[in-house]
Amino acid sequence: MIKSVSLINFKEGTDQVQREAVLAAYRRLPSLIPGIVDFEVGLDQGLLEGSTGIAVIAGFASREDFLAYSTHQAHTDVIFPVCGPVMSGYSTAQFES
């Protein structure tokens, strides 16, 4: 299985309503993109100083499924409109589990 982890940082001043909108947008992806076999997303709980804003963990049966996910139009249509304006940066990694 291929796992993809994305950690997204929010711009200073991003409020809870905006954060929840990003969370809701990511939660739509499994119903829009074929090939996702496991999907978790959550807002940081603020337990440690300097943590990221939101974490996305997605699982795929194959590298091809991940590559199809990573370029799927839903990222442009669903994620970017709500996440783009409040995102200050992100990190991502893919690994085999």
Side-chain angles (χ1 to χ4, degrees):
M1 176 178 283
I2 300 296
K3 292 278 190 163
S4 176
V5 178
S6 297
L7 303 174
I8 299 161
N9 297 313
F10 292 118
K11 291 179 181 175
E12 194 71 35
T14 301
D15 64 32
Q16 191 62 26
V17 171
Q18 293 168 308
R19 292 169 191 263
E20 293 288 340
V22 172
L23 181 64
Y26 271 103
R27 285 184 172 155
R28 291 184 56 202
L29 292 185
S31 68
L32 299 172
I33 304 176
I36 299 172
V37 296
D38 186 38
F39 196 84
E40 295 180 72
V41 60
L43 294 172
D44 181 63
Q45 297 297 296
L47 303 176
L48 296 174
E49 185 74 29
S51 293
T52 194
I54 191 169
V56 182
I57 304 169
F60 306 90
S62 68
R63 293 170 184 259
E64 293 77 20
D65 288 343
F66 166 73
L67 292 172
Y69 163 84
S70 70
T71 59
H72 195 279
Q73 188 65 32
H75 289 283
T76 299
D77 296 344
V78 176
I79 301 302
F80 185 75
V82 294
C83 190
V86 298
M87 181 176 70
S88 65
Y90 73 97
S91 296
T92 186
Q94 292 73 45
F95 62 94
E96 194 163 359
S97 68

